[in-house]
Amino acid sequence: MGAKVAALCAELGPGAMLPGERDLSTRFGVSRATVRKALEELMARRIVERRHGAGTFVRRPAVAQPLMATSFGDDMRRRGLEPSSRLLWSDTVVADTDLAARLEMPGGEPVLRVCRVRLADGEPMTLETLHVPSSRVPGLTGDDLDGPSSYYELLAERFDRRIRSGTQSVAPVVLATRDAELLGVPAGSPALHFVRTSRDHRGEIVERVESYARGDRYLIEMDIIPPGDATAGAAVLSGAVVP
Amino acid sequence: MGAKVAALCAELGPGAMLPGERDLSTRFGVSRATVRKALEELMARRIVERRHGAGTFVRRPAVAQPLMATSFGDDMRRRGLEPSSRLLWSDTVVADTDLAARLEMPGGEPVLRVCRVRLADGEPMTLETLHVPSSRVPGLTGDDLDGPSSYYELLAERFDRRIRSGTQSVAPVVLATRDAELLGVPAGSPALHFVRTSRDHRGEIVERVESYARGDRYLIEMDIIPPGDATAGAAVLSGAVVP
DNA sequence: GAGTGGTCTAGACCACGTT
DNA sequence: ACGTGGTCTAGACCACTCC
């Protein structure tokens, strides 16, 4: 449903006002509630803008495709770049109490660690270290994650684990010399430090990734809402790569 | 409505499973759709977690109150800190083509600039530079923004302009010596560089703020969604201050 | 199978912006 | 006034999880 409305937006072009919700519901043969849900989704994706009493409008700039925090490969492809990975090293360690807690696994069991540089069109973008309990991905090795392969695809195909939810934090850091070298930027350059924890459909953690993203190639964009608006929805996050 | 369910969540405590939607709807005497809307709001505010077929649960950590990107003062108060401002300087400049375009105003007209350090419990948190077309806030001076006063309150009370929407970008930077001094951190410390543009209810830009936030006190948290999920909703953004 | 959330319909009234 | 989006009701069926 949302796709039909999105197509209509593309057809009308930026700045255009969409037909009213009642109109759309008869036009597409669905109820108004369904149309509203679709419009709310497009709103969240920053494709349309709604003004109470005025109407729904296709967003002016529509600059880069609004993006959600997803996988590296998807992000890059959406920007028309070719994603790839270069394996730096991988090993298996025994989880101490701390690591076990973070991965929600029994302590003392093995954990696969994989360190990769992620590239877009051959240029280093991020430096990632992945942690996953070995028992949840039996047989997986670092080599499986070299080249163009996607960890999320591997998870789905070989282990029938599909990413369902996750949480991520972002903080600014200054790159250490070694990390800066791997990313091809001067030592002391600014970067974003991401820590992502993802769960599969069963609720189990299937990855904890710490990554450093080049500050000159990453920025985060978000919508903001009026201060003091208690009933306000969430701010919307989208990422963009600086050209 | 959402408040009632939020109160129930607080009562039940972290990790607890909420009653089903049908149960809640009879309990509160509203329709199930209304309950769902309230739950979606709590979901966006990261207060509850929902699992299809399983149930709705109060979020485990509920660490710091989840926050939306709002005004500095609101952010700090929500964290139990006392916000304040220290005026560094202010002046009025004539907008060149670039600045005029960014503020969506005619070129050649005056723009008020105000530079402030924002503090929480007396400790520097961010360094802000505000730009606003003078014609939209006639009579406003930098001194009006010294001390505990809120720009947003001034806008509403003196100029009848209420913030309605806005957009913000975030990038990592390394602090210059002077900026680091003002923020009370060592030179070369990491920071987040925010650029916020806010519009009032008439759609006019009433502020463009560039700010530097201490990297040791700010981090951004967001939910992530499955890769390749075209119909997925938006990632949720919340901010947190590192203790 | 029983209970959960996810989706949908058809209709109503309210709040707001435009004219 | 009129049309817009915002909210709500009452009921239905589907998809999923868990026992």
Side-chain angles (χ1 to χ4, degrees):
Chain A
M1 184 65 242
K4 287 187 194 175
V5 187
L8 181 59
C9 291
E11 190 180 313
L12 291 173
M17 177 173 162
L18 268 72
E21 297 177 353
R22 293 157 185 85
D23 186 334
L24 287 174
S25 73
T26 63
R27 183 179 308 205
F28 291 122
V30 298
S31 79
R32 190 179 155 213
T34 307
V35 167
R36 277 186 64 76
K37 223 205 66 183
L39 288 174
E40 270 156 27
E41 182 195 313
L42 293 181
M43 177 91 169
R45 289 168 61 189
R46 313 176 102 233
I47 291 173
V48 302
E49 183 179 0
R50 322 186 69 185
R51 284 203 296 272
H52 191 170
T56 303
F57 305 84
V58 182
R59 277 226 176 192
R60 308 279 169 76
V63 227
Q65 194 69 302
L67 297 170
M68 295 160 285
T70 57
S71 78
F72 179 84
D74 282 8
D75 266 8
M76 293 308 121
R77 268 185 288 271
R78 233 179 289 213
R79 292 165 176 131
L81 305 173
E82 188 54 33
S84 61
S85 295
R86 186 155 57 83
L87 177 67
L88 295 179
W89 53 263
S90 71
D91 63 6
T92 299
V93 295
V94 171
D96 61 18
T97 318
D98 236 41
L99 183 56
R102 277 200 284 262
L103 294 174
E104 292 178 8
M105 63 179 284
E109 291 192 358
V111 171
L112 175 65
R113 296 194 305 183
V114 180
C115 188
R116 299 184 288 174
V117 175
R118 312 298 302 263
L119 310 99
D121 283 352
E123 188 186 4
M125 299 289 287
T126 73
L127 176 64
E128 291 192 359
T129 307
L130 164 76
H131 289 247
V132 56
S134 301
S135 64
R136 292 174 194 164
V137 287
L140 188 74
T141 69
D143 293 323
D144 294 325
L145 296 177
D146 203 3
S149 56
S150 157
Y151 179 53
Y152 292 162
E153 279 173 21
L154 277 175
L155 275 179
E157 287 162 18
R158 282 176 50 179
F159 306 104
D160 191 35
R161 293 179 182 269
R162 295 173 298 282
I163 301 282
R164 181 66 78 82
S165 68
T167 177
Q168 183 166 264
S169 71
V170 192
V173 294
V174 175
L175 288 174
T177 309
R178 176 187 302 276
D179 294 345
E181 268 171 24
L182 290 167
L183 286 172
V185 295
S189 295
L192 288 172
H193 183 221
F194 290 85
V195 179
R196 180 171 74 246
T197 303
S198 307
R199 296 168 189 278
D200 66 11
H201 54 116
R202 286 192 286 270
E204 283 186 328
I205 293 178
V206 289
E207 67 165 2
R208 180 174 198 276
V209 181
E210 280 199 57
S211 66
Y212 295 92
R214 286 172 52 169
D216 60 341
R217 300 304 303 272
Y218 270 84
L219 76 82
I220 294 170
E221 285 187 348
M222 63 188 89
D223 284 344
I224 55 181
I225 53 174
D229 186 343
T231 70
V236 173
L237 175 108
S238 64
V241 170
V242 180
Chain B
M1 184 64 242
K4 287 186 193 174
V5 187
L8 181 60
C9 291
E11 191 180 314
L12 292 173
M17 177 174 162
L18 269 72
E21 298 177 349
R22 294 158 184 82
D23 185 335
L24 287 174
S25 73
T26 64
R27 184 180 305 205
F28 291 123
V30 298
S31 80
R32 189 178 158 216
T34 306
V35 166
R36 277 186 65 75
K37 223 206 65 182
L39 288 175
E40 269 157 27
E41 183 193 314
L42 293 181
M43 177 89 170
R45 289 168 59 188
R46 314 177 101 233
I47 291 172
V48 301
E49 183 178 1
R50 322 187 68 185
R51 283 203 297 271
H52 191 169
T56 303
F57 305 84
V58 182
R59 277 229 175 190
R60 313 275 172 74
V63 228
Q65 194 69 303
L67 297 170
M68 295 160 285
T70 56
S71 79
F72 179 84
D74 282 6
D75 267 9
M76 293 308 121
R77 267 185 289 269
R78 234 179 289 213
R79 292 165 175 132
L81 304 174
E82 188 54 32
S84 60
S85 295
R86 188 155 56 86
L87 177 66
L88 295 179
W89 53 263
S90 71
D91 63 6
T92 299
V93 294
V94 171
D96 61 18
T97 318
D98 236 41
L99 183 57
R102 276 201 284 264
L103 294 174
E104 294 179 7
M105 62 179 284
E109 291 192 359
V111 171
L112 175 66
R113 297 195 303 185
V114 179
C115 187
R116 299 185 288 174
V117 175
R118 312 298 302 261
L119 310 99
D121 282 352
E123 188 186 3
M125 298 290 286
T126 72
L127 177 62
E128 292 192 357
T129 308
L130 163 75
H131 289 246
V132 56
S134 301
S135 65
R136 292 174 196 163
V137 288
L140 189 73
T141 70
D143 294 322
D144 293 324
L145 297 176
D146 202 4
S149 55
S150 157
Y151 178 53
Y152 291 163
E153 279 173 19
L154 277 177
L155 274 180
E157 288 163 16
R158 281 177 47 181
F159 307 104
D160 190 35
R161 294 178 182 270
R162 295 172 297 281
I163 301 284
R164 181 67 76 85
S165 68
T167 176
Q168 183 166 264
S169 72
V170 193
V173 294
V174 174
L175 287 174
T177 309
R178 177 187 302 276
D179 294 345
E181 269 172 23
L182 290 167
L183 286 172
V185 295
S189 296
L192 289 172
H193 183 220
F194 290 84
V195 179
R196 180 171 75 246
T197 303
S198 308
R199 295 170 190 276
D200 66 11
H201 55 116
R202 285 191 286 271
E204 284 186 327
I205 293 179
V206 289
E207 67 166 0
R208 179 185 153 87
V209 181
E210 281 198 57
S211 66
Y212 294 92
R214 287 172 53 169
D216 59 343
R217 299 304 302 271
Y218 270 86
L219 77 82
I220 294 170
E221 285 187 347
M222 63 187 92
D223 284 342
I224 55 182
I225 53 175
D229 185 344
T231 71
V236 173
L237 174 108
S238 63
V241 170
V242 179

